[in-house]
Amino acid sequence: MARYRKAELTYPERGATAGSLPAGYRHLRRRVLLGHGRPVLDAAAAAVMSWRMHRHAVLRLVATTSEVDVGATVVMCAGWGRVGVLAACRVVWVLDEADRHGFAYGTLPDHPEVGEEAFVVERDADDAVWLGITAFSRPNGLLPLMAGPAGRRAQEMMTVRYARVVQDTAGLSEG
C-alpha cells in the first residue's frame, strides 16, 4: 500500500468519467435497474460507497479509508490463493447528492489497465433506482495487450459482478 499512496495516476484525463469519455480508449457503459424508492437508493449507495460492492464481487481489497473518499487509495486483487492480478486505484471524484451517490477511481502503476471507472447510483423522476457503471480503459503493458478479448471479458465479468452485488443489496437479483 505504501508504494501506491504517493503514486501518480497512469493517465492524463482525470475525472473524465463525469463527462465525455476520451478518445483512444475502450469505453464501457452499463446501466442496471435496482428497484424503486428511497430504501433501495440508500441500500445501494451504502454498498457502493463502503467498498462492499468490490469486496462481495470476490475481490480482496485494502483501502486507505473505510468509506470512499476523494484521494483514497485502494489495492484490489482478483484471483485464488497466492495467484492473482493486482489492481491499484485512486478515487478521483465523489458524488454525494440527494438522489445520486457514487465515485470514480483511476488506475495507478502496476494495474493491468490504464484508465478510469465510475460507479453511480441514482434515483430518477419516476422513483426508479439505477446503477450506472462507466469506464474508459486500455491495456497497460504487453501481457494485458496480448490478453486481447480475454482482458475485455474480464472487465465485463467484473462489471456484471458489481451490478449483481448491488442488486442483491437492494433486494433484487436477476435469475
Coordinates of all heavy atoms in Angstrom, one line a residue, residues 32-41 44 122-124 126-131 166-167 170-172:
V32 N -28.1 -0.6 -14.8 CA -28.9 -1.7 -14.3 C -30.0 -1.1 -13.4 O -29.7 -0.4 -12.5 CB -28.0 -2.7 -13.6 CG1 -28.8 -3.8 -13.0 CG2 -26.9 -3.2 -14.4
L33 N -31.2 -1.5 -13.6 CA -32.3 -1.2 -12.7 C -32.2 -1.9 -11.4 O -32.1 -3.2 -11.4 CB -33.7 -1.5 -13.4 CG -34.9 -1.2 -12.5 CD1 -35.0 0.3 -12.2 CD2 -36.2 -1.7 -13.2
L34 N -32.2 -1.2 -10.3 CA -32.1 -1.9 -9.0 C -33.5 -2.0 -8.3 O -33.6 -2.8 -7.4 CB -31.2 -1.0 -8.1 CG -29.8 -0.9 -8.6 CD1 -29.0 0.1 -7.7 CD2 -29.1 -2.2 -8.8
G35 N -34.4 -1.1 -8.6 CA -35.7 -1.2 -7.9 C -36.3 0.3 -7.9 O -35.9 1.1 -8.7
H36 N -37.1 0.5 -6.9 CA -37.7 1.8 -6.8 C -37.7 2.3 -5.3 O -37.9 1.5 -4.4 CB -39.2 1.8 -7.3 CG -39.3 1.5 -8.7 ND1 -39.2 0.3 -9.3 CD2 -39.5 2.4 -9.7 CE1 -39.3 0.4 -10.6 NE2 -39.5 1.6 -10.9
G37 N -37.6 3.6 -5.1 CA -37.7 4.2 -3.8 C -36.5 4.5 -3.0 O -35.4 4.0 -3.4
R38 N -36.6 5.3 -2.0 CA -35.5 5.8 -1.2 C -34.8 4.6 -0.5 O -33.6 4.6 -0.5 CB -36.1 6.8 -0.2 CG -35.1 7.2 0.9 CD -33.9 7.9 0.5 NE -34.2 9.1 -0.2 CZ -33.3 9.9 -0.9 NH1 -32.0 9.6 -0.8 NH2 -33.7 10.9 -1.5
P39 N -35.5 3.6 0.1 CA -34.8 2.5 0.7 C -33.8 1.8 -0.2 O -32.7 1.4 0.1 CB -35.9 1.6 1.2 CG -37.0 2.4 1.4 CD -37.0 3.4 0.3
V40 N -34.2 1.6 -1.5 CA -33.4 0.9 -2.5 C -32.1 1.8 -2.8 O -31.0 1.4 -2.8 CB -34.1 0.6 -3.8 CG1 -33.2 0.1 -4.9 CG2 -35.2 -0.4 -3.5
L41 N -32.4 3.1 -2.9 CA -31.3 4.1 -3.2 C -30.3 4.0 -2.0 O -29.1 3.9 -2.2 CB -31.8 5.5 -3.4 CG -30.7 6.6 -3.5 CD1 -30.1 6.5 -4.9 CD2 -31.4 8.0 -3.3
A44 N -28.3 0.7 -1.9 CA -27.4 0.6 -3.0 C -26.2 1.5 -2.8 O -25.0 1.2 -3.0 CB -28.1 0.8 -4.3
E122 N -28.4 6.2 -8.8 CA -29.2 7.4 -8.9 C -30.7 7.0 -8.9 O -31.1 6.0 -9.4 CB -28.8 8.3 -10.1 CG -29.0 7.6 -11.4 CD -28.5 8.5 -12.5 OE1 -28.7 9.8 -12.4 OE2 -28.0 8.0 -13.5
R123 N -31.5 7.9 -8.4 CA -33.0 7.7 -8.4 C -33.5 8.8 -9.4 O -33.2 10.0 -9.2 CB -33.5 7.9 -7.0 CG -35.0 7.7 -6.9 CD -35.5 7.6 -5.5 NE -35.4 8.9 -4.9 CZ -36.1 9.3 -3.9 NH1 -37.0 8.6 -3.3 NH2 -35.9 10.5 -3.4
D124 N -34.3 8.3 -10.3 CA -34.8 9.2 -11.3 C -36.2 9.8 -10.9 O -36.7 9.5 -9.9 CB -34.9 8.6 -12.7 CG -35.9 7.4 -12.8 OD1 -36.8 7.3 -12.0 OD2 -35.7 6.6 -13.8
D126 N -39.1 9.1 -11.9 CA -40.1 8.1 -11.7 C -39.9 7.2 -10.5 O -40.5 6.2 -10.3 CB -40.2 7.2 -13.0 CG -40.6 8.0 -14.2 OD1 -41.5 8.9 -14.0 OD2 -40.1 7.7 -15.3
D127 N -38.9 7.6 -9.6 CA -38.6 6.8 -8.4 C -37.8 5.5 -8.7 O -37.6 4.8 -7.8 CB -39.8 6.6 -7.6 CG -39.5 6.5 -6.1 OD1 -38.6 7.1 -5.6 OD2 -40.2 5.7 -5.4
A128 N -37.4 5.3 -9.9 CA -36.6 4.1 -10.2 C -35.1 4.4 -9.8 O -34.6 5.5 -9.9 CB -36.6 3.8 -11.7
V129 N -34.5 3.4 -9.3 CA -33.1 3.5 -8.8 C -32.2 2.7 -9.8 O -32.5 1.5 -10.1 CB -32.9 3.0 -7.4 CG1 -31.5 3.1 -7.0 CG2 -33.9 3.8 -6.5
W130 N -31.2 3.3 -10.3 CA -30.3 2.7 -11.3 C -28.9 2.7 -10.8 O -28.4 3.6 -10.1 CB -30.3 3.5 -12.5 CG -31.7 3.6 -13.2 CD1 -32.7 4.5 -12.9 CD2 -32.2 2.7 -14.2 NE1 -33.8 4.2 -13.7 CE2 -33.5 3.2 -14.5 CE3 -31.6 1.6 -14.9 CZ2 -34.3 2.5 -15.5 CZ3 -32.4 1.0 -15.8 CH2 -33.7 1.4 -16.1
L131 N -28.1 1.7 -11.2 CA -26.7 1.7 -11.0 C -26.1 1.9 -12.4 O -26.4 1.1 -13.3 CB -26.2 0.3 -10.5 CG -24.6 0.1 -10.5 CD1 -23.9 1.1 -9.5 CD2 -24.3 -1.3 -10.1
V166 N -24.8 -5.2 -6.0 CA -25.6 -4.0 -5.7 C -27.1 -4.4 -5.9 O -27.9 -4.0 -5.0 CB -25.3 -2.8 -6.5 CG1 -26.2 -1.6 -6.2 CG2 -23.8 -2.4 -6.3
Q167 N -27.5 -5.2 -6.9 CA -28.8 -5.7 -7.0 C -29.2 -6.5 -5.8 O -30.3 -6.3 -5.2 CB -29.0 -6.6 -8.2 CG -29.1 -5.8 -9.5 CD -29.1 -6.8 -10.7 OE1 -28.4 -7.7 -10.8 NE2 -30.1 -6.5 -11.6
A170 N -29.8 -4.3 -2.8 CA -31.1 -3.6 -3.0 C -32.3 -4.5 -2.9 O -33.4 -4.0 -3.0 CB -31.1 -2.8 -4.3
G171 N -32.1 -5.8 -2.9 CA -33.3 -6.7 -2.8 C -33.7 -7.3 -4.1 O -34.7 -8.0 -4.1
L172 N -32.9 -7.1 -5.1 CA -33.3 -7.7 -6.4 C -32.1 -8.6 -6.9 O -31.0 -8.3 -6.5 CB -33.4 -6.6 -7.5 CG -34.6 -5.7 -7.4 CD1 -34.6 -4.6 -8.5 CD2 -35.9 -6.5 -7.4

